[in-house]
């Protein structure tokens, strides 16, 4: 039985990407029904960019793909959890996780690539 995800009035739900092995939270992005369908069809994380107003495959331009092991839905069916095997960095800044700094500005995460080399 498939869970009916509640995409709400704007047609989007937040999705947390988490490393399937370590549990590290890598990023948060938004997912449309089409993005969820593409993720389930291909086995790779797809999201919806609110700023670009388009569907995108994680790693499509950087090569840092997110093969998805499992998609979970929360108790209210309005948030998703992607359990992924992150290839390279998840963050466009070059860090492994988008959550690489504290609120005080201390860098606590690992930088794994140079974004200038990837996003020309």
């Amino acid at each position: 039985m498939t869970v009916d995800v509640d995409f709400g009035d704007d047609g989007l739900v937040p999705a947390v990407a988490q490393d399937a092995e370590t549990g590290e939270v890598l990023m948060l992005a938004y997912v449309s029904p089409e993005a969820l369908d593409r993720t389930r069809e291909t086995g790779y994380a797809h999201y919806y960019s609110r700023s670009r107003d388009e569907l995108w495959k994680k790693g499509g331009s950087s090569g840092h793909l997110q093969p998805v092991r499992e998609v979970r839905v929360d108790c209210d069916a309005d948030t998703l959890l992607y359990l992924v095997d992150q290839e390279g960095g998840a963050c466009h800044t070059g860090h492994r996780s988008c959550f690489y700094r504290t609120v005080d500005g201390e860098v606590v995460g690992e930088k794994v690539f140079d974004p200038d080399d990837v996003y020309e």
Side-chain angles (χ1 to χ4, degrees), residues 81-94:
L81 175 65
Y82 283 2
L83 297 173
V84 304
D85 293 315
Q86 179 66 48
E87 297 176 2
C91 186
H92 71 280
T93 65

Side-chain angles (χ1 to χ4, degrees), residues 20-57:
E21 288 294 319
T22 68
E24 179 181 22
V25 175
L26 300 171
M27 59 180 277
L28 179 133
Y30 290 86
V31 171
S32 64
E34 182 184 5
L36 180 56
D37 288 346
R38 295 283 295 143
T39 297
R40 295 181 75 202
E41 290 166 7
T42 67
Y44 288 93
H46 285 74
Y47 300 99
Y48 188 84
S49 171
R50 297 178 302 168
S51 60
R52 295 188 313 264
D53 194 28
E54 67 182 18
L55 180 76
W56 59 282
K57 178 181 180 181

